[in-house]
Amino acid sequence: MTIVAPSILSADFAALGRDIALVEQAGAQWLHLDIMDGHFVPNLTIGPAVVQSIRPRTGLFLDAHLMLENPENYLETFARAGADLLCVHLETLRTPAAVLRQIKALGKKAGLAVNPDKKFADVRPYLSELDLVLFMSVWPGFAGQKFIPAVLPEIQQCREYIKASQLPVDIEIDGGINRETAGQALNAGANVLAAGSAIYRSADPAAEVKYYLAARPAEVV
Ligand code: DX5
Ligand code: ZN
């Protein structure tokens, strides 16, 4: 089953409760939270107080995408705020394995995100410590950018490796997802679709969620 993770970056922050309920009622399983610090990426978004306010309002699995320098300093804060998965960027980590263990010690799912210039080989050493790999298909920082197809072969290699080694790791793709690129990502082996503008900037966000939920790889591998 495809997991749909609407990104609230493209929601109406003045009506966040309504916009979350909308995607939850449409059947989305996850909510993608883009946490940006103005250092790792040139944008500022939401922090732990917003996550804490969201937590009691929804049953959705909270997928926190931490675009932060020194994310290890904020893991406990976001864990307490109610995130279910803490996804850190490889580019921000001096000791990746230790940070991933820190996430697991907090009782949370551990994700590792990589920018579009990274290869599958960059994440492979950490797969046994991970619940999820997030391949960025745009440069992190802003919603509404164009999909970078160079990530697709990396996703494909990652899926083949995970399958061959029988590792319980999800593959999320994030950035520039629309009906066309979602198909490409699923075919390559992604099973979690983070999508901001394709859902929240559409005339009928619930219909878009349902479309992506029903989307399947063209060939079942
Ligand atoms: C970008 C964020 C994405 C963003 C995606 O840095 O990580 O999650 O919300 O937005 P779209 O789907 O519009 O590319
Ligand atoms: Zn994101």
Side-chain angles (χ1 to χ4, degrees):
M1 175 111 190
T2 302
I3 295 172
V4 179
S7 165
I8 58 165
L9 189 55
S10 297
D12 178 353
F13 281 106
L16 200 48
R18 179 202 68 189
D19 277 3
I20 293 169
L22 184 67
V23 296
E24 187 165 16
Q25 281 159 18
Q29 306 96 325
W30 291 15
L31 195 67
H32 186 83
L33 308 175
D34 286 306
I35 318 284
M36 304 188 190
D37 69 348
H39 292 279
F40 174 58
V41 288
N43 197 3
L44 289 160
T45 56
I46 62 168
V50 177
V51 179
Q52 198 175 353
S53 296
I54 290 172
R55 179 68 287 171
R57 298 282 295 267
T58 178
L60 291 171
F61 179 92
L62 297 182
D63 164 25
H65 178 193
L66 303 178
M67 287 162 274
L68 309 175
E69 293 289 354
N70 304 312
E72 61 274 17
N73 295 343
Y74 298 94
L75 296 175
E76 192 172 347
T77 305
F78 282 103
R80 281 178 195 270
D84 294 296
L85 179 140
L86 298 169
C87 186
V88 288
H89 264 266
L90 182 61
E91 294 82 6
T92 65
L93 305 176
R94 284 176 292 271
T95 54
V99 174
L100 296 171
R101 281 196 296 274
Q102 194 185 337
I103 296 173
K104 303 296 273 185
L106 289 164
K108 301 298 177 181
K109 301 258 189 203
L112 187 64
V114 285
N115 281 346
D117 60 345
K118 293 293 181 302
K119 302 289 178 200
F120 167 60
D122 296 311
V123 301
R124 188 173 47 212
Y126 309 107
L127 281 178
S128 61
E129 320 257 7
L130 287 175
D131 297 294
L132 174 142
V133 180
L134 185 158
F135 286 94
M136 286 303 304
S137 39
V138 298
W139 286 92
F142 298 92
Q145 303 180 72
K146 195 169 181 296
F147 185 80
I148 298 171
V151 299
L152 294 170
E154 306 308 320
I155 290 176
Q156 196 170 351
Q157 284 183 49
C158 188
R159 175 55 68 196
E160 281 163 12
Y161 186 94
I162 283 171
K163 203 176 168 207
S165 1
Q166 298 188 308
L167 290 166
V169 178
D170 288 309
I171 302 180
E172 182 170 17
I173 186 156
D174 183 14
I177 290 298
N178 56 36
R179 288 184 176 218
E180 183 190 349
T181 57
Q184 295 169 12
L186 293 171
N187 287 346
N191 68 303
V192 183
L193 302 173
S197 35
I199 291 174
Y200 280 116
R201 296 291 148 107
S202 103
D204 187 350
E208 291 308 300
V209 169
K210 288 177 186 155
Y211 175 86
Y212 293 115
L213 279 171
R216 295 281 178 280
E219 295 168 40
V220 178
V221 186

